[in-house]
Amino acid sequence: MGESVELPSRLGILPFRNKVLLPGAIIRIRCTSPSSVKLVEQELWQKEEKGLIGILPVRDAAETTSVGPVLSSGLGPDMGLGERNPKSQIGVSDAQKIDGKNQQEVIQWHTRGVAARALHLSRGVEKPSGRVTYIVVLEGLCRFNVQELSTRGTYYTARITSLDKTKPEMELVEQDPDFIALSLQFKASAMDLISVLEQKQKTGGRTKVLLETVPVHKLADIFVASFEISFEEQLSMLDSVDIKVRLSKATELVNRHLQSIRVAEKITQKVEGQLSKSQKEFLLRQQMRAIKEELGDNDDDEDDVSALEKKMQNAGMPANIWKHAQRELRRLKKMQPQQPGYNSSRVYLELLADLPWQTASEEHELDLKAAKERLDSDHYGLVKVKQRIIEYLAVRKLKPDARGPVLCFVGPPGVGKTSLASSIASALGRKFVRISLGGVKDEADIRGHRRTYIGSMPGRLIDGLKKVAVCNPVMLLDEIDKTGSDVRGDPASALLEVLDPEQNKTFNDHYLNVPYDLSKVIFVATANKAQPIPPPLLDRMEVIELPGYTPEEKLRIAMRHLIPRVLDQHGLSSDFLQIPEAMVKLIIERYTREAGVRNLERNLASLARAAAVRVAEQGHVVPLSKDVHQLSSPLLESRLGESAEVEMEVISMGDNHEISSDFRINSSMIVDESMLEKVLGPPRFDDKETAERVAAPGISVGLVWTAFGGEVQFVEATSMAGKGDLHLTGQLGDVIKESAQIALTWVRARATDLKLASAKETNLLDGRDVHIHFPAGAIPKDGPSAGVTLVTALVSLFTHTRVRSDTAMTGEMTLRGLVLPVGGVKDKVLAAHRYGIKRVILPERNLKDLVEVPSAVLTSMEILPAKRMEDVLEHAFEGGCPWRQTSKL
Ligand code: ADP
């Protein structure tokens, strides 16, 4: 390749349409047209020595706008500067035949071509026609310039001059520093390209040898010939007769090629990176499946789906629901596990399969006597409540499908509402499920979310039924009074449907989307107060009130029920820990002040825990010392050191009674007052609280009704210099604020009568403001029953007389001073009793409510009826109303 070629002055010309053969390039062509066949035959085939032909690019006339004359003027003798006029063309207005066809269109010949020799020739004869064809492999050798183009027979010949440099010319060029620089630059680029290509194709370094052996100007052609570049670019390369120009052009093209390879590589890498993650996962899954199949272990999704199907078949769904479920199952089967929606569809079907459509606890013949015994053994007292439950059960026995009212236990926390409901369940031999409705504001909590929402779930009822797995449980709707409505719908209306026997046969949970029959469920509800329950809902229920316990009742409950249970839960027995009655009484009086027995149970649990620590520790110490009681337990001491009340944390020991039996040998531990103080801290309440708080004029003791049962509520009033304004604090609602207004107005109106002001000074508020505060400022308060208490506080303030500390009161008051009845009397009286209050002033019309108060409480208290406000004042102050004698009222 390195040798220079002697060119003849004339060459047979093979036109290349829109194509360029560059020196150093090899091309295989098939010659079929008569002219080219003739050319090949005469110039190559028949020549003894290797013949040469000229390859001249021609351009379709359609590709250009200007057609030059034959041998255009651009053709000059200085062809070395051909690039100055690269577009020099020989225009041939051709009516002659090219390729044996009548070429009517104008074709343009390029003025420069490349001489080529045949590396391989093969001749063929087409069969029926006998037409001769040639397949020629040509190698481009060197550039030439066309001086004159003429035809010889059927093909063209041209008079040509070589454009290659002679040896001395070449030597001269090689010394040119520009050439040296350019060739180095080209070689560097070429090297880069080769490395990239070799790296891509993982071939050895054979191409690099080329760079060492082939002269650089020829290399430039060889490289460019291998690129896919446009015809124009090929022509311009052909026209680059000047070696420096050729090198710089080739360098540019090599760099461009390199760049495009790199960009393409980057893109593929990126795409591959993106694809590979999911593809990899897919491949791995396929492989996993194949491996499992191979192991005979292909239990996954398909098996799961068939297990699900089996479960669904056994679920006993009603026919229409079974149809719906099957439709959904068919959809699931068509889905890929990775497909979105697969999981939600599956979870849904699982729910359908898990729901107890027919499974029911077997209802045995109800034995009322046994039920009564059971209720009695579980609960102390509550005679009326238990009686009502027995009646309820009796009706169910006689008419199992009777649509009796829903029982609703109303009362403060810890009075046994939940445990009564669970006793009903066990009396009926049914399963028990508790649904907490406290704080439910969203209707979807009851009815579920539609499955179109992401993360949708069934409502609490359906969820509870799924958990309990029978369709006829006793379902406790706990804290039904704590549901509220807001923008997310009204849970109460959904509950209404649940409790309505007409509608609950086809209860519609949005998630489930098929009707579910709730009619076999026995509903029991609990509430702290009946008043917040929406009336339509309350109408469906029969309210059974549990007002709270007297201290005596609490004592009995503790001795009979709570202590044995607490000991049992802590793995102890009465052999080890004894809590005497007197101590329980102390706990009730000094450590709890509640309507129920929850805190009492917590405190007992604290004692049991402390005892359990001692038992567990003694296990290690006993063998060393016989004096067990003298042992101080470091753990217990530190526990006892805490004065704060111990919070409830009952750690159930289940049936594990080992600890107690192991230590039965030790004599039992009896709780005494000092242990109480050590474990429970100093007493939290005492009887003196009211006396201490009512020490100054302007303070009175009221009785209010809260969610926790009755409570004692102090009212404080004070006055200071001001403009006659009334200030109220303590998170008060509108009703209680109005009561304060009424109270103040009433007192002001009676200022002279009550001798609160002198006859001249008619305005009680002259130059002063009044401030009324309801302590425990963090707790919101409302209601009308503080009316009489407010007046009493104000009268006490203005007369500078203290209210009796042993007297509490409740009652609404009219503007004219009449005392109206209020609700929750029983709870209020019990609360007063808990606070050690001896006298309670009640509206006269409330006296009838006292029948519900345990007689033990009533006998220990003085109940003072009041018709008018003056009666209240008469009872509230020591020695009666101080102005009674002079009052004209
Ligand atoms: P509520 O549901 O009213 O808040 P619970 O039913 O949870 O109260 O009762 C709290 C605890 O007090 C339970 O352990 C319960 O057994 C017990 N308890 C309440 N009242 C009695 C009672 N009359 N006899 C026996 N135990 C009772």
Side-chain angles (χ1 to χ4, degrees), residues 377-382 411-420 476 478 526 528 546 549 557 561-562 565 597-598 601:
S377 75
D378 284 354
H379 298 93
Y380 170 84
L382 302 174
V415 290
K417 300 184 295 293
T418 313
S419 66
L420 275 174
L476 179 71
D478 209 4
T526 76
N528 289 139
L546 290 95
Y549 300 112
I557 294 173
H561 300 275
L562 303 182
R565 190 166 43 204
V597 290
R598 212 166 261 168
E601 192 172 358

PDB file of all heavy atoms in Angstrom, residues 377-382 411-420 476 478 526 528 546 549 557 561-562 565 597-598 601, ligand 1:
ATOM      1  N   SER A 377     -71.550 -13.859  90.366  1.00  0.00           N
ATOM      2  CA  SER A 377     -70.177 -14.184  90.763  1.00  0.00           C
ATOM      3  C   SER A 377     -69.185 -13.203  90.141  1.00  0.00           C
ATOM      4  O   SER A 377     -68.133 -12.953  90.687  1.00  0.00           O
ATOM      5  CB  SER A 377     -69.827 -15.625  90.371  1.00  0.00           C
ATOM      6  OG  SER A 377     -69.613 -15.688  88.990  1.00  0.00           O
ATOM      7  N   ASP A 378     -69.541 -12.613  88.988  1.00  0.00           N
ATOM      8  CA  ASP A 378     -68.619 -11.656  88.360  1.00  0.00           C
ATOM      9  C   ASP A 378     -68.733 -10.259  88.946  1.00  0.00           C
ATOM     10  O   ASP A 378     -67.782  -9.499  88.922  1.00  0.00           O
ATOM     11  CB  ASP A 378     -68.899 -11.566  86.843  1.00  0.00           C
ATOM     12  CG  ASP A 378     -68.364 -12.762  86.096  1.00  0.00           C
ATOM     13  OD1 ASP A 378     -67.688 -13.586  86.746  1.00  0.00           O
ATOM     14  OD2 ASP A 378     -68.627 -12.886  84.887  1.00  0.00           O
ATOM     15  N   HIS A 379     -69.945  -9.936  89.414  1.00  0.00           N
ATOM     16  CA  HIS A 379     -70.165  -8.556  89.834  1.00  0.00           C
ATOM     17  C   HIS A 379     -70.834  -8.472  91.182  1.00  0.00           C
ATOM     18  O   HIS A 379     -71.837  -9.119  91.427  1.00  0.00           O
ATOM     19  CB  HIS A 379     -71.031  -7.811  88.810  1.00  0.00           C
ATOM     20  CG  HIS A 379     -70.393  -7.739  87.478  1.00  0.00           C
ATOM     21  ND1 HIS A 379     -70.642  -8.666  86.514  1.00  0.00           N
ATOM     22  CD2 HIS A 379     -69.480  -6.883  86.979  1.00  0.00           C
ATOM     23  CE1 HIS A 379     -69.909  -8.381  85.450  1.00  0.00           C
ATOM     24  NE2 HIS A 379     -69.196  -7.306  85.722  1.00  0.00           N
ATOM     25  N   TYR A 380     -70.309  -7.606  91.994  1.00  0.00           N
ATOM     26  CA  TYR A 380     -70.924  -7.360  93.283  1.00  0.00           C
ATOM     27  C   TYR A 380     -71.985  -6.276  93.097  1.00  0.00           C
ATOM     28  O   TYR A 380     -71.812  -5.363  92.287  1.00  0.00           O
ATOM     29  CB  TYR A 380     -69.856  -6.892  94.282  1.00  0.00           C
ATOM     30  CG  TYR A 380     -70.446  -6.403  95.561  1.00  0.00           C
ATOM     31  CD1 TYR A 380     -70.777  -7.312  96.578  1.00  0.00           C
ATOM     32  CD2 TYR A 380     -70.711  -5.050  95.749  1.00  0.00           C
ATOM     33  CE1 TYR A 380     -71.367  -6.864  97.745  1.00  0.00           C
ATOM     34  CE2 TYR A 380     -71.292  -4.606  96.920  1.00  0.00           C
ATOM     35  CZ  TYR A 380     -71.620  -5.517  97.907  1.00  0.00           C
ATOM     36  OH  TYR A 380     -72.211  -5.080  99.070  1.00  0.00           O
ATOM     37  N   GLY A 381     -73.030  -6.353  93.872  1.00  0.00           N
ATOM     38  CA  GLY A 381     -74.053  -5.300  93.841  1.00  0.00           C
ATOM     39  C   GLY A 381     -74.770  -5.245  92.504  1.00  0.00           C
ATOM     40  O   GLY A 381     -75.095  -6.266  91.907  1.00  0.00           O
ATOM     41  N   LEU A 382     -75.025  -4.023  92.057  1.00  0.00           N
ATOM     42  CA  LEU A 382     -75.673  -3.776  90.757  1.00  0.00           C
ATOM     43  C   LEU A 382     -76.943  -4.598  90.591  1.00  0.00           C
ATOM     44  O   LEU A 382     -77.222  -5.125  89.511  1.00  0.00           O
ATOM     45  CB  LEU A 382     -74.706  -4.116  89.604  1.00  0.00           C
ATOM     46  CG  LEU A 382     -73.388  -3.375  89.564  1.00  0.00           C
ATOM     47  CD1 LEU A 382     -72.498  -3.947  88.456  1.00  0.00           C
ATOM     48  CD2 LEU A 382     -73.597  -1.888  89.332  1.00  0.00           C
ATOM     49  N   GLY A 411     -72.493   5.160  82.410  1.00  0.00           N
ATOM     50  CA  GLY A 411     -71.929   5.454  83.723  1.00  0.00           C
ATOM     51  C   GLY A 411     -70.473   5.836  83.611  1.00  0.00           C
ATOM     52  O   GLY A 411     -69.871   5.699  82.544  1.00  0.00           O
ATOM     53  N   PRO A 412     -69.914   6.318  84.716  1.00  0.00           N
ATOM     54  CA  PRO A 412     -68.513   6.744  84.697  1.00  0.00           C
ATOM     55  C   PRO A 412     -67.570   5.562  84.456  1.00  0.00           C
ATOM     56  O   PRO A 412     -67.995   4.403  84.534  1.00  0.00           O
ATOM     57  CB  PRO A 412     -68.298   7.361  86.075  1.00  0.00           C
ATOM     58  CG  PRO A 412     -69.491   7.037  86.874  1.00  0.00           C
ATOM     59  CD  PRO A 412     -70.554   6.524  86.001  1.00  0.00           C
ATOM     60  N   PRO A 413     -66.306   5.840  84.171  1.00  0.00           N
ATOM     61  CA  PRO A 413     -65.381   4.751  83.896  1.00  0.00           C
ATOM     62  C   PRO A 413     -65.175   3.861  85.115  1.00  0.00           C
ATOM     63  O   PRO A 413     -65.247   4.330  86.252  1.00  0.00           O
ATOM     64  CB  PRO A 413     -64.067   5.461  83.557  1.00  0.00           C
ATOM     65  CG  PRO A 413     -64.406   6.878  83.347  1.00  0.00           C
ATOM     66  CD  PRO A 413     -65.670   7.152  84.056  1.00  0.00           C
ATOM     67  N   GLY A 414     -64.967   2.594  84.877  1.00  0.00           N
ATOM     68  CA  GLY A 414     -64.595   1.675  85.951  1.00  0.00           C
ATOM     69  C   GLY A 414     -65.748   1.195  86.796  1.00  0.00           C
ATOM     70  O   GLY A 414     -65.547   0.687  87.893  1.00  0.00           O
ATOM     71  N   VAL A 415     -66.985   1.327  86.295  1.00  0.00           N
ATOM     72  CA  VAL A 415     -68.105   0.849  87.101  1.00  0.00           C
ATOM     73  C   VAL A 415     -68.569  -0.528  86.630  1.00  0.00           C
ATOM     74  O   VAL A 415     -69.560  -1.048  87.128  1.00  0.00           O
ATOM     75  CB  VAL A 415     -69.300   1.829  87.092  1.00  0.00           C
ATOM     76  CG1 VAL A 415     -68.976   3.087  87.858  1.00  0.00           C
ATOM     77  CG2 VAL A 415     -69.722   2.141  85.670  1.00  0.00           C
ATOM     78  N   GLY A 416     -67.867  -1.104  85.669  1.00  0.00           N
ATOM     79  CA  GLY A 416     -68.175  -2.476  85.260  1.00  0.00           C
ATOM     80  C   GLY A 416     -69.022  -2.609  84.017  1.00  0.00           C
ATOM     81  O   GLY A 416     -69.602  -3.660  83.780  1.00  0.00           O
ATOM     82  N   LYS A 417     -69.061  -1.577  83.187  1.00  0.00           N
ATOM     83  CA  LYS A 417     -69.894  -1.643  81.985  1.00  0.00           C
ATOM     84  C   LYS A 417     -69.370  -2.727  81.031  1.00  0.00           C
ATOM     85  O   LYS A 417     -70.118  -3.582  80.572  1.00  0.00           O
ATOM     86  CB  LYS A 417     -69.899  -0.278  81.264  1.00  0.00           C
ATOM     87  CG  LYS A 417     -70.433   0.847  82.121  1.00  0.00           C
ATOM     88  CD  LYS A 417     -70.507   2.136  81.374  1.00  0.00           C
ATOM     89  CE  LYS A 417     -69.174   2.702  80.952  1.00  0.00           C
ATOM     90  NZ  LYS A 417     -68.305   3.148  82.033  1.00  0.00           N
ATOM     91  N   THR A 418     -68.059  -2.658  80.777  1.00  0.00           N
ATOM     92  CA  THR A 418     -67.475  -3.623  79.843  1.00  0.00           C
ATOM     93  C   THR A 418     -67.580  -5.037  80.386  1.00  0.00           C
ATOM     94  O   THR A 418     -67.921  -5.976  79.668  1.00  0.00           O
ATOM     95  CB  THR A 418     -65.993  -3.277  79.594  1.00  0.00           C
ATOM     96  OG1 THR A 418     -65.901  -1.889  79.347  1.00  0.00           O
ATOM     97  CG2 THR A 418     -65.422  -4.044  78.436  1.00  0.00           C
ATOM     98  N   SER A 419     -67.297  -5.185  81.676  1.00  0.00           N
ATOM     99  CA  SER A 419     -67.278  -6.550  82.203  1.00  0.00           C
ATOM    100  C   SER A 419     -68.698  -7.107  82.278  1.00  0.00           C
ATOM    101  O   SER A 419     -68.888  -8.311  82.125  1.00  0.00           O
ATOM    102  CB  SER A 419     -66.539  -6.625  83.531  1.00  0.00           C
ATOM    103  OG  SER A 419     -67.225  -5.934  84.505  1.00  0.00           O
ATOM    104  N   LEU A 420     -69.714  -6.239  82.427  1.00  0.00           N
ATOM    105  CA  LEU A 420     -71.100  -6.732  82.380  1.00  0.00           C
ATOM    106  C   LEU A 420     -71.419  -7.269  80.989  1.00  0.00           C
ATOM    107  O   LEU A 420     -72.010  -8.334  80.842  1.00  0.00           O
ATOM    108  CB  LEU A 420     -72.068  -5.606  82.717  1.00  0.00           C
ATOM    109  CG  LEU A 420     -72.342  -5.370  84.200  1.00  0.00           C
ATOM    110  CD1 LEU A 420     -73.200  -4.128  84.374  1.00  0.00           C
ATOM    111  CD2 LEU A 420     -73.032  -6.576  84.828  1.00  0.00           C
ATOM    112  N   LEU A 476     -69.661  -5.291  71.642  1.00  0.00           N
ATOM    113  CA  LEU A 476     -69.772  -4.128  72.524  1.00  0.00           C
ATOM    114  C   LEU A 476     -69.356  -2.887  71.758  1.00  0.00           C
ATOM    115  O   LEU A 476     -68.218  -2.777  71.284  1.00  0.00           O
ATOM    116  CB  LEU A 476     -68.857  -4.315  73.738  1.00  0.00           C
ATOM    117  CG  LEU A 476     -68.874  -3.151  74.709  1.00  0.00           C
ATOM    118  CD1 LEU A 476     -70.191  -3.093  75.444  1.00  0.00           C
ATOM    119  CD2 LEU A 476     -67.739  -3.239  75.699  1.00  0.00           C
ATOM    120  N   ASP A 478     -68.239   0.297  72.361  1.00  0.00           N
ATOM    121  CA  ASP A 478     -67.741   0.995  73.542  1.00  0.00           C
ATOM    122  C   ASP A 478     -67.678   2.501  73.300  1.00  0.00           C
ATOM    123  O   ASP A 478     -67.257   2.941  72.228  1.00  0.00           O
ATOM    124  CB  ASP A 478     -66.338   0.451  73.864  1.00  0.00           C
ATOM    125  CG  ASP A 478     -66.046   0.534  75.345  1.00  0.00           C
ATOM    126  OD1 ASP A 478     -66.950   0.935  76.097  1.00  0.00           O
ATOM    127  OD2 ASP A 478     -64.933   0.184  75.753  1.00  0.00           O
ATOM    128  N   THR A 526     -71.849   1.049  75.436  1.00  0.00           N
ATOM    129  CA  THR A 526     -71.535   1.720  76.697  1.00  0.00           C
ATOM    130  C   THR A 526     -71.342   3.199  76.408  1.00  0.00           C
ATOM    131  O   THR A 526     -70.982   3.576  75.290  1.00  0.00           O
ATOM    132  CB  THR A 526     -70.237   1.203  77.357  1.00  0.00           C
ATOM    133  OG1 THR A 526     -69.126   1.743  76.653  1.00  0.00           O
ATOM    134  CG2 THR A 526     -70.149  -0.292  77.397  1.00  0.00           C
ATOM    135  N   ASN A 528     -70.370   7.092  78.698  1.00  0.00           N
ATOM    136  CA  ASN A 528     -70.183   7.753  79.995  1.00  0.00           C
ATOM    137  C   ASN A 528     -71.379   8.635  80.322  1.00  0.00           C
ATOM    138  O   ASN A 528     -71.762   8.782  81.471  1.00  0.00           O
ATOM    139  CB  ASN A 528     -68.901   8.596  79.986  1.00  0.00           C
ATOM    140  CG  ASN A 528     -67.656   7.721  79.997  1.00  0.00           C
ATOM    141  OD1 ASN A 528     -66.687   7.992  79.313  1.00  0.00           O
ATOM    142  ND2 ASN A 528     -67.704   6.647  80.761  1.00  0.00           N
ATOM    143  N   LEU A 546     -75.357   3.053  85.459  1.00  0.00           N
ATOM    144  CA  LEU A 546     -74.519   2.536  86.541  1.00  0.00           C
ATOM    145  C   LEU A 546     -73.862   3.751  87.178  1.00  0.00           C
ATOM    146  O   LEU A 546     -72.901   4.293  86.640  1.00  0.00           O
ATOM    147  CB  LEU A 546     -73.439   1.599  85.980  1.00  0.00           C
ATOM    148  CG  LEU A 546     -73.911   0.259  85.444  1.00  0.00           C
ATOM    149  CD1 LEU A 546     -74.132   0.312  83.957  1.00  0.00           C
ATOM    150  CD2 LEU A 546     -72.887  -0.799  85.765  1.00  0.00           C
ATOM    151  N   TYR A 549     -70.035   3.663  92.685  1.00  0.00           N
ATOM    152  CA  TYR A 549     -70.153   2.897  93.926  1.00  0.00           C
ATOM    153  C   TYR A 549     -69.900   3.748  95.147  1.00  0.00           C
ATOM    154  O   TYR A 549     -69.142   4.714  95.118  1.00  0.00           O
ATOM    155  CB  TYR A 549     -69.153   1.739  93.899  1.00  0.00           C
ATOM    156  CG  TYR A 549     -69.379   0.794  92.741  1.00  0.00           C
ATOM    157  CD1 TYR A 549     -68.458   0.700  91.712  1.00  0.00           C
ATOM    158  CD2 TYR A 549     -70.526   0.012  92.680  1.00  0.00           C
ATOM    159  CE1 TYR A 549     -68.655  -0.167  90.655  1.00  0.00           C
ATOM    160  CE2 TYR A 549     -70.742  -0.855  91.616  1.00  0.00           C
ATOM    161  CZ  TYR A 549     -69.797  -0.939  90.605  1.00  0.00           C
ATOM    162  OH  TYR A 549     -70.010  -1.785  89.561  1.00  0.00           O
ATOM    163  N   ILE A 557     -66.353  -4.904  96.582  1.00  0.00           N
ATOM    164  CA  ILE A 557     -65.859  -5.300  95.246  1.00  0.00           C
ATOM    165  C   ILE A 557     -64.377  -5.641  95.327  1.00  0.00           C
ATOM    166  O   ILE A 557     -63.915  -6.646  94.787  1.00  0.00           O
ATOM    167  CB  ILE A 557     -66.096  -4.177  94.216  1.00  0.00           C
ATOM    168  CG1 ILE A 557     -67.590  -3.973  93.997  1.00  0.00           C
ATOM    169  CG2 ILE A 557     -65.419  -4.486  92.882  1.00  0.00           C
ATOM    170  CD1 ILE A 557     -67.952  -2.784  93.136  1.00  0.00           C
ATOM    171  N   HIS A 561     -63.656  -9.365  94.526  1.00  0.00           N
ATOM    172  CA  HIS A 561     -63.312  -9.551  93.110  1.00  0.00           C
ATOM    173  C   HIS A 561     -61.919  -9.056  92.738  1.00  0.00           C
ATOM    174  O   HIS A 561     -61.159  -9.762  92.106  1.00  0.00           O
ATOM    175  CB  HIS A 561     -64.335  -8.836  92.214  1.00  0.00           C
ATOM    176  CG  HIS A 561     -65.722  -9.346  92.400  1.00  0.00           C
ATOM    177  ND1 HIS A 561     -66.192 -10.440  91.736  1.00  0.00           N
ATOM    178  CD2 HIS A 561     -66.743  -8.913  93.195  1.00  0.00           C
ATOM    179  CE1 HIS A 561     -67.448 -10.675  92.100  1.00  0.00           C
ATOM    180  NE2 HIS A 561     -67.792  -9.755  92.977  1.00  0.00           N
ATOM    181  N   LEU A 562     -61.645  -7.806  93.154  1.00  0.00           N
ATOM    182  CA  LEU A 562     -60.412  -7.210  92.635  1.00  0.00           C
ATOM    183  C   LEU A 562     -59.164  -7.857  93.225  1.00  0.00           C
ATOM    184  O   LEU A 562     -58.232  -8.202  92.492  1.00  0.00           O
ATOM    185  CB  LEU A 562     -60.403  -5.698  92.897  1.00  0.00           C
ATOM    186  CG  LEU A 562     -61.582  -4.929  92.318  1.00  0.00           C
ATOM    187  CD1 LEU A 562     -61.448  -3.432  92.597  1.00  0.00           C
ATOM    188  CD2 LEU A 562     -61.680  -5.156  90.814  1.00  0.00           C
ATOM    189  N   ARG A 565     -58.335 -11.281  91.875  1.00  0.00           N
ATOM    190  CA  ARG A 565     -57.912 -11.214  90.478  1.00  0.00           C
ATOM    191  C   ARG A 565     -56.511 -10.615  90.343  1.00  0.00           C
ATOM    192  O   ARG A 565     -55.663 -11.099  89.598  1.00  0.00           O
ATOM    193  CB  ARG A 565     -58.906 -10.385  89.672  1.00  0.00           C
ATOM    194  CG  ARG A 565     -58.628 -10.502  88.180  1.00  0.00           C
ATOM    195  CD  ARG A 565     -59.731  -9.993  87.346  1.00  0.00           C
ATOM    196  NE  ARG A 565     -60.229  -8.745  87.904  1.00  0.00           N
ATOM    197  CZ  ARG A 565     -61.444  -8.277  87.704  1.00  0.00           C
ATOM    198  NH1 ARG A 565     -62.285  -8.939  87.005  1.00  0.00           N
ATOM    199  NH2 ARG A 565     -61.826  -7.146  88.225  1.00  0.00           N
ATOM    200  N   VAL A 597     -64.077   1.717  90.018  1.00  0.00           N
ATOM    201  CA  VAL A 597     -63.060   1.071  90.850  1.00  0.00           C
ATOM    202  C   VAL A 597     -61.740   0.886  90.090  1.00  0.00           C
ATOM    203  O   VAL A 597     -60.915   0.091  90.464  1.00  0.00           O
ATOM    204  CB  VAL A 597     -63.556  -0.309  91.349  1.00  0.00           C
ATOM    205  CG1 VAL A 597     -64.657  -0.143  92.360  1.00  0.00           C
ATOM    206  CG2 VAL A 597     -64.002  -1.198  90.197  1.00  0.00           C
ATOM    207  N   ARG A 598     -61.574   1.661  89.011  1.00  0.00           N
ATOM    208  CA  ARG A 598     -60.388   1.434  88.191  1.00  0.00           C
ATOM    209  C   ARG A 598     -59.102   1.822  88.917  1.00  0.00           C
ATOM    210  O   ARG A 598     -58.133   1.072  88.916  1.00  0.00           O
ATOM    211  CB  ARG A 598     -60.511   2.215  86.895  1.00  0.00           C
ATOM    212  CG  ARG A 598     -59.820   1.454  85.798  1.00  0.00           C
ATOM    213  CD  ARG A 598     -60.164   1.973  84.464  1.00  0.00           C
ATOM    214  NE  ARG A 598     -61.181   1.179  83.823  1.00  0.00           N
ATOM    215  CZ  ARG A 598     -61.818   1.560  82.737  1.00  0.00           C
ATOM    216  NH1 ARG A 598     -61.573   2.745  82.228  1.00  0.00           N
ATOM    217  NH2 ARG A 598     -62.711   0.781  82.196  1.00  0.00           N
ATOM    218  N   GLU A 601     -58.291  -0.589  91.598  1.00  0.00           N
ATOM    219  CA  GLU A 601     -57.676  -1.805  91.051  1.00  0.00           C
ATOM    220  C   GLU A 601     -56.200  -1.544  90.729  1.00  0.00           C
ATOM    221  O   GLU A 601     -55.336  -2.377  90.998  1.00  0.00           O
ATOM    222  CB  GLU A 601     -58.425  -2.235  89.780  1.00  0.00           C
ATOM    223  CG  GLU A 601     -58.039  -3.629  89.335  1.00  0.00           C
ATOM    224  CD  GLU A 601     -58.914  -4.148  88.186  1.00  0.00           C
ATOM    225  OE1 GLU A 601     -59.834  -3.440  87.758  1.00  0.00           O
ATOM    226  OE2 GLU A 601     -58.661  -5.265  87.738  1.00  0.00           O
TER     227      GLU A 601
HETATM  228  P1  ADP B   1     -66.085   0.313  82.442  1.00  0.00           P
HETATM  229  O1  ADP B   1     -66.310  -0.463  81.224  1.00  0.00           O
HETATM  230  O2  ADP B   1     -67.345   0.772  83.093  1.00  0.00           O
HETATM  231  O3  ADP B   1     -65.141   1.455  82.285  1.00  0.00           O
HETATM  232  P2  ADP B   1     -64.929  -2.071  83.423  1.00  0.00           P
HETATM  233  O4  ADP B   1     -65.991  -2.976  83.040  1.00  0.00           O
HETATM  234  O5  ADP B   1     -63.709  -2.069  82.572  1.00  0.00           O
HETATM  235  O6  ADP B   1     -65.448  -0.597  83.516  1.00  0.00           O
HETATM  236  O7  ADP B   1     -64.529  -2.324  84.918  1.00  0.00           O
HETATM  237  C1  ADP B   1     -63.271  -2.020  85.489  1.00  0.00           C
HETATM  238  C2  ADP B   1     -62.861  -3.108  86.440  1.00  0.00           C
HETATM  239  O8  ADP B   1     -63.665  -3.064  87.596  1.00  0.00           O
HETATM  240  C3  ADP B   1     -63.042  -4.460  85.851  1.00  0.00           C
HETATM  241  O9  ADP B   1     -61.954  -5.216  86.201  1.00  0.00           O
HETATM  242  C4  ADP B   1     -64.326  -4.958  86.486  1.00  0.00           C
HETATM  243  O10 ADP B   1     -64.324  -6.355  86.618  1.00  0.00           O
HETATM  244  C5  ADP B   1     -64.284  -4.300  87.831  1.00  0.00           C
HETATM  245  N1  ADP B   1     -65.622  -4.085  88.365  1.00  0.00           N
HETATM  246  C6  ADP B   1     -66.396  -3.028  88.151  1.00  0.00           C
HETATM  247  N2  ADP B   1     -67.574  -3.159  88.787  1.00  0.00           N
HETATM  248  C7  ADP B   1     -67.553  -4.324  89.439  1.00  0.00           C
HETATM  249  C8  ADP B   1     -68.469  -5.035  90.265  1.00  0.00           C
HETATM  250  N3  ADP B   1     -69.667  -4.524  90.563  1.00  0.00           N
HETATM  251  N4  ADP B   1     -68.111  -6.213  90.730  1.00  0.00           N
HETATM  252  C9  ADP B   1     -66.909  -6.729  90.418  1.00  0.00           C
HETATM  253  N5  ADP B   1     -65.992  -6.131  89.667  1.00  0.00           N
HETATM  254  C10 ADP B   1     -66.301  -4.929  89.157  1.00  0.00           C
END
